[in-house]
Amino acid sequence: MHLVNAHGERLDATLHPGRPDEPRIVVIGHGVTSHKDRPWLIALAEAVADAGIPALRFSFTDNGSSQGSFADATIRKEVDDPGSVLDALAGRAVVYAGHSMGAAVGVLRAARDPRIRGLVSLAGRVHVRRFVDAQFGALRPGDAMFGKARCPLSAEFLRDARALGDVRGAAAEVAVPWLLVHGTADELVPLQDAHAAARACPRRAQVVELAGADHRFTGHEAAMADAVVAWLRGSDLGPAVHDGGL
């Protein structure tokens, strides 16, 4: 599938087909310094497709095999990318599922884009500035984030994350069904972040805790995927016009 963002940069994407008459599609975004081919994202996409719902994994601009330079990556730039994906999926009822920082991106996008009919946060970040300061505050621009040489920290990334602060304000604006799946042993994002987001949107949000699961759902990938599939089966995402594509 050929996806290009608003800047003309190609987005690397993998489609997992579901039933040809299924009007829904799950779009899956990754976390900071990551990409679409992480094991837990593949496990989720395969489980969703096995349930008959197409799933699309993509890497944000400047990440993975998508075009651009990681040094140019910011959270607010990543918020724009799902808009380009949604443009390509016109007529589908889109559920956006994001992991970690990709979940924060999903909250910010869903709060302003009615084309998103459902939202899933996997180990989602809420207190973005707090996380960035804790993990990267002692680094200098150009230093490797999480020790990954391909992911140099930029001053613009820090400025953007600190200006954002947290996503609780956007969470309060989410007007679609919202599932938050979080491990009780998450070493990077506290379980309390999921509950903080849910308190901001009490009528829409549902939290599922996975006992013993870490930030990457190591050894709990199937349980995470099962929780998402069960929620998809029980959620009313509203009507959508299906044009017969994808």
Side-chain angles (χ1 to χ4, degrees), residues 192-218:
Q192 292 91 326
D193 272 26
H195 288 287
R199 284 194 298 272
C201 189
R203 292 180 297 173
R204 296 290 186 177
Q206 172 190 347
V207 178
V208 171
E209 299 182 12
L210 294 185
D214 64 14
H215 189 62
R216 298 165 184 82
F217 300 101
T218 308

Side-chain angles (χ1 to χ4, degrees), residues 134-246:
Q135 297 297 324
F136 311 126
L139 301 182
R140 296 171 299 178
D143 287 348
M145 299 169 71
F146 293 131
K148 300 176 182 179
R150 63 178 178 79
C151 299
L153 179 68
S154 71
E156 184 57 30
F157 175 87
L158 286 175
R159 281 194 295 269
D160 183 63
R162 287 167 173 163
L164 175 60
D166 66 56
V167 300
R168 287 177 294 175
E173 299 298 320
V174 172
V176 296
W178 183 8
L179 175 68
L180 301 98
V181 183
H182 215 106
T184 63
D186 192 317
E187 73 283 10
L188 289 180
V189 180
L191 174 62
Q192 292 91 326
D193 272 26
H195 288 287
R199 284 194 298 272
C201 189
R203 292 180 297 173
R204 296 290 186 177
Q206 172 190 347
V207 178
V208 171
E209 299 182 12
L210 294 185
D214 64 14
H215 189 62
R216 298 165 184 82
F217 300 101
T218 308
H220 298 264
E221 295 91 346
M224 176 271 291
D226 287 347
V228 174
V229 170
W231 176 82
L232 287 168
R233 285 175 171 157
S235 295
D236 180 10
L237 304 180
V241 177
H242 182 39
D243 60 7
L246 273 182

Side-chain angles (χ1 to χ4, degrees), residues 32-46:
V32 66
T33 76
S34 193
H35 52 78
K36 70 177 179 66
D37 295 324
R38 303 306 294 268
W40 54 96
L41 302 183
I42 294 173
L44 174 60
E46 290 178 343

